Amino acid sequence: MRRKMIMICGILLVVCWMVGLAGAAEKVRGVTDKAIKIGQWGPQTGPAAAWGAVARGTDLYFKLINDEGGIHGRKIEYYLRDDAYNPAKTKAIGKEFINQIGVFAVVGGVGTAPGMAVRDDLSENKVVWVSPSTGNKHWSRPFQKYIFAVYPLYVDEAYLLTQFAVEKMGKKKIAVFYQNDDYGKDGLEGVEKYMKEKGMELAAKVSVEVPDTDLSSHALKLKESGADTVIMYLLPKHAAIILGEAAKIGFAPQWISSSTLSDAPLMYEVTKGLWKGVIVASFGELPDSDHPLMVKYRQAWQKYAPKERWGTFYYAGIIWAEPLVEGLKRAGRNLTTEGLISALETLKEWKGIGPPLTYTSTDHLGAKSIKIAKVKDDGNLELLTDWITISK
């Protein structure tokens, strides 16, 4: 009898050991009993450093979530890296996230060219990426299983801005000043799409390279085109320089910008007031909104990061992370990559402080809406429209 009991115990031990091995094999990258590892890159230095606030805003949001108890008992471990808006550095950060840290997902990440440097590596390693911080169509067209876009497409945004300029403001001669890469070219494409539909011709299209700092000839070309409106897809520094150069030569069109330049108080300050009157697209609530979530987030900002400036670029980091957190909540305690994807695909017209989001199993372009606002005399924004949605 004793020998029989020993044999049974031995068999049970072997079974337990095999079950343990199976459990270890099924362990999800970046997920432990107590933590979920999330990564983001962003330009804390370099030509696009003004956009670096985005990734720090995400940090604020995750601190708030963790202090509220985390997600199903797990806290978020957040890994922020500075890529200086340099795609080569972004690519190295992506490999660190995949091979060294082993993140479960990434969020945000400013810039089209930096994002393209890591897109395929992340997808090939089945890393879910929520909210690329750019409206380029490469995140959703063609369909990307592991990417969930929150930023409205630049093509759609530019179309809506041009439509507003022509149909609401009566503008007739539209020019585009754009960064000569996928970011700027998408904006140009949206403007041209609307103009073609209406049988209109662009007054001018003038491009700029990221390293350029002397924009005097660019300003002269725009002036000589006779444009009454210039739509911009630029870095903040280029927007500031071109408005300064235009003022020097007495060129004062209606300036209109992508949401990438919608941090009005910041742009007002760096342009020494020239940003007054600029029309901008907005991908979220305005900074002083009394939306309950905005009130809550401003309180969190005062508690966790009072030295940061509360502005659009900063709380964009919250907008990008909100759907990720919602997806993690819906995925439940047994968190897996496939489970997160399925959970995100249940979002229908879901809203945080950004645009309404809808995902399906065949379309991960969540947002198709923007608001339009105007910079007031004091540098703050005044809403001109509620959410408007691309229908074409």
Side-chain angles (χ1 to χ4, degrees), residues 104-226:
F104 174 67
V106 297
V107 64
V110 166
T112 298
M116 284 303 292
V118 296
R119 186 193 69 171
D120 293 346
D121 280 350
L122 293 176
S123 289
E124 287 167 7
N125 285 277
K126 301 182 179 180
V127 177
V128 174
W129 180 6
V130 177
S131 309
S133 190
T134 148
N136 187 265
K137 54 183 177 287
H138 291 320
W139 318 131
S140 53
R141 302 291 186 267
F143 175 71
Q144 304 285 321
K145 176 180 177 179
Y146 296 96
I147 300 177
F148 289 80
V150 171
Y151 209 122
L153 290 182
Y154 293 135
V155 174
D156 293 345
E157 177 193 75
Y159 183 99
L160 292 170
L161 286 171
T162 313
Q163 182 182 54
F164 185 85
V166 173
E167 299 178 19
K168 299 296 183 183
M169 302 182 73
K171 300 300 183 183
K172 300 183 184 304
K173 299 196 72 174
I174 311 289
V176 182
F177 187 34
Y178 65 101
Q179 188 166 299
N180 190 28
D181 60 10
D182 285 346
Y183 156 50
K185 290 177 181 176
D186 271 11
L188 173 64
E189 180 183 334
V191 176
E192 290 184 320
K193 181 180 176 183
Y194 177 85
M195 303 283 281
K196 183 178 180 181
E197 286 180 8
K198 300 299 177 182
M200 301 171 67
E201 295 288 335
L202 269 179
K205 51 184 178 182
V206 180
S207 65
V208 63
E209 305 296 332
V210 169
D212 290 348
T213 54
D214 181 358
L215 305 187
S216 55
S217 62
H218 305 71
L220 194 58
K221 288 180 184 175
L222 291 168
K223 181 181 182 181
E224 290 175 347
S225 75

Side-chain angles (χ1 to χ4, degrees), residues 197-384:
E197 286 180 8
K198 300 299 177 182
M200 301 171 67
E201 295 288 335
L202 269 179
K205 51 184 178 182
V206 180
S207 65
V208 63
E209 305 296 332
V210 169
D212 290 348
T213 54
D214 181 358
L215 305 187
S216 55
S217 62
H218 305 71
L220 194 58
K221 288 180 184 175
L222 291 168
K223 181 181 182 181
E224 290 175 347
S225 75
D228 59 20
T229 301
V230 177
I231 298 178
M232 298 177 281
Y233 277 80
L234 303 170
L235 292 172
K237 73 165 189 174
H238 284 150
I241 294 171
I242 195 65
L243 261 67
E245 292 294 339
K248 287 180 187 175
I249 59 176
F251 178 48
Q254 174 62 60
W255 298 98
I256 295 180
S257 93
S258 163
S259 58
T260 52
L261 305 176
S262 62
D263 197 324
L266 175 65
M267 295 304 299
Y268 188 91
E269 180 180 349
V270 299
T271 61
K272 297 180 172 57
L274 294 176
W275 208 245
K276 181 178 68 176
V278 173
I279 303 291
V280 301
S282 176
F283 46 61
E285 299 291 330
L286 298 190
D288 57 354
S289 166
D290 60 0
H291 187 292
L293 284 174
M294 287 293 281
V295 173
K296 176 181 179 178
Y297 296 152
R298 283 198 297 269
Q299 291 171 346
W301 156 63
Q302 292 171 345
K303 177 180 179 181
Y304 298 111
K307 292 183 179 179
E308 290 281 358
R309 189 183 61 82
W310 181 256
T312 305
F313 293 165
Y314 185 66
Y315 66 77
I318 298 175
I319 295 175
W320 307 151
E322 282 182 317
L324 171 59
V325 167
E326 180 65 19
L328 291 170
K329 289 177 179 176
R330 295 189 185 197
R333 175 68 185 176
N334 296 321
L335 183 60
T336 64
T337 298
E338 293 298 323
L340 175 60
I341 291 172
S342 296
L344 285 165
E345 289 172 350
T346 67
L347 270 62
K348 308 298 178 194
E349 292 294 307
W350 183 88
K351 271 191 85 319
I353 59 171
L357 299 174
T358 296
Y359 299 116
T360 71
S361 59
T362 57
D363 190 358
H364 288 178
L365 172 61
K368 298 178 181 177
S369 305
I370 62 168
K371 293 184 178 185
I372 294 179
K374 182 176 183 178
V375 182
K376 298 190 293 186
D377 290 350
D378 63 0
N380 290 307
L381 286 171
E382 172 188 8
L383 268 182
L384 301 180

